[in-house]
Amino acid sequence: MKITPGKYMGLKRISTTTGCFQMMALDQRNSLKKMLKKFKEPKDEDLVVVKRSILKNLSEYVSAVLVDPEYGFFENLKYIHRNSGVILSLEKSGYVEKEGGRISQVVEDEIVKKAKKWGVDAVKLLIYWSNNASEEVKKHQRDLVKKMGEMALESDILYILEILTYGVNEAEKTKAILSAIKEFSGDDYHVDLFKVEPVVKEERHGLSKDDIFNATNGKPWVILSGGMDVETFEKIVELNCELGASGVLAGRVIWKDSVRFIDDHDKMDLFLKTTGVRNVEIIRRAMSLALPYHQTPYYRDITVS
């Protein structure tokens, strides 16, 4: 497998020394506003403050942080630990509901080129996907993933695709996730790493590493947390690493309870330094069986050129 220097350096920068991914997401925007509304009517500065506190207190404990370009990106860069990789979200928060399903949009057309100029290590696009969506909606999503992938290839920057499935019942969830991954695993989309919803215990039966790598085209994959509690996520991380996951890109499970201290920044910092660090360590231990990216089928025989 050949990989360009920029993408290879991106993989190294966002992974641990063993080649696994213990990454933290704080690119939440609309969902963070909803969390803050339980305590106050949030202003833009409140989102910047929360993100700053998370970066200041937790970035040194993770291999990379996922940030957005809209709330405090430039102001908060100095709070990211020097050993932590930086991933930039490309999409606007949420989705546009069409008659035939959900469509994703990017913050701006040139955001990939700007990300490269700003020196981040990778970019991430989130899309919503349903096999039951209209052909028009599915075409829009495919075209968007491909366009961002081509721009990432042109800019020589690592490209992560996050997929959220919808329109299926829980019994069909894993099947829908694997189908969605397979949809975008072809080399024409230029995806380097997948961020996906995790397999849960009830859906584990009969599923193997090969089943998932057949869907990813052998490319590495990490799981999201969806804001669940850390004790539940710990077991899910263990299960998914047994199935070949290379780690996590988790957000709210680590820091969600800190937002209640939005009007007392010292207490927020203290919470993150204690409970936040504990949550990171719980996830780290659960990742003991994570598969290093250089041992995945796609990157096993990697050459840089």
Side-chain angles (χ1 to χ4, degrees), residues 65-119:
V65 293
L66 170 63
V67 297
D68 66 271
E70 298 181 280
Y71 292 93
F73 174 70
F74 297 110
E75 304 98 299
N76 288 343
L77 273 176
K78 63 184 178 180
Y79 296 101
I80 300 175
H81 194 273
R82 63 184 179 277
N83 292 332
S84 176
V86 181
I87 308 164
L88 189 72
S89 285
L90 305 177
E91 75 279 351
K92 290 182 178 178
S93 187
Y95 54 85
V96 176
E97 189 74 62
K98 294 286 188 180
E99 185 176 346
R102 303 171 182 177
I103 65 170
S104 305
Q105 297 177 307
V106 292
V107 173
E108 58 177 281
D109 289 341
E110 300 297 307
I111 187 60
V112 175
K113 293 180 181 178
K114 287 189 174 182
K116 182 67 175 184
K117 180 181 177 181
W118 294 337

Side-chain angles (χ1 to χ4, degrees), residues 28-51 255-256 258-263 268:
Q28 291 81 357
R29 283 153 281 179
N30 290 343
S31 60
L32 180 53
K33 288 178 183 177
K34 290 177 183 177
M35 294 166 69
L36 288 169
K37 278 185 177 180
K38 296 177 182 178
F39 308 101
K40 65 182 296 187
E41 188 60 37
K43 300 176 181 178
D44 288 355
E45 178 59 24
D46 292 317
L47 275 73
V48 175
V49 166
V50 170
K51 293 169 186 284
W255 51 258
K256 62 181 178 180
S258 68
V259 303
R260 69 179 184 267
F261 301 117
I262 185 58
D263 287 325
M268 182 180 292

Side-chain angles (χ1 to χ4, degrees), residues 181-293:
I181 297 170
K182 192 171 184 64
E183 180 76 38
F184 296 103
S185 64
D187 288 339
D188 52 332
Y189 289 106
H190 307 294
V191 175
D192 302 301
L193 172 66
F194 286 97
K195 175 187 178 184
V196 298
E197 298 159 285
V199 176
V200 297
K201 185 176 181 180
E202 292 75 12
E203 299 163 331
R204 169 67 173 89
H205 182 69
L207 193 63
S208 69
K209 286 184 182 181
D210 288 343
D211 293 327
I212 302 180
F213 280 126
N214 284 339
T216 69
N217 194 22
K219 297 175 182 179
W221 55 284
V222 298
I223 60 169
L224 56 85
S225 66
M228 65 184 76
D229 64 83
V230 72
E231 289 77 18
T232 300
F233 190 57
E234 177 184 16
K235 296 179 177 62
I236 287 178
V237 172
E238 291 173 348
L239 169 62
N240 282 262
C241 288
E242 288 175 5
L243 286 170
S246 292
V248 304
L249 180 38
R252 288 169 291 170
V253 66
I254 297 170
W255 51 258
K256 62 181 178 180
D257 290 333
S258 68
V259 303
R260 69 179 184 267
F261 301 117
I262 185 58
D263 287 325
D264 191 330
H265 300 165
D266 288 339
K267 286 185 177 179
M268 182 180 292
D269 285 344
L270 180 60
F271 177 92
L272 291 167
K273 287 176 182 176
T274 53
T275 303
V277 172
R278 170 185 173 272
N279 292 342
V280 170
E281 290 302 317
I282 288 172
I283 295 169
R284 187 196 306 278
R285 290 196 300 269
M287 280 177 47
S288 62
L289 294 178
L291 186 66
Y293 72 83

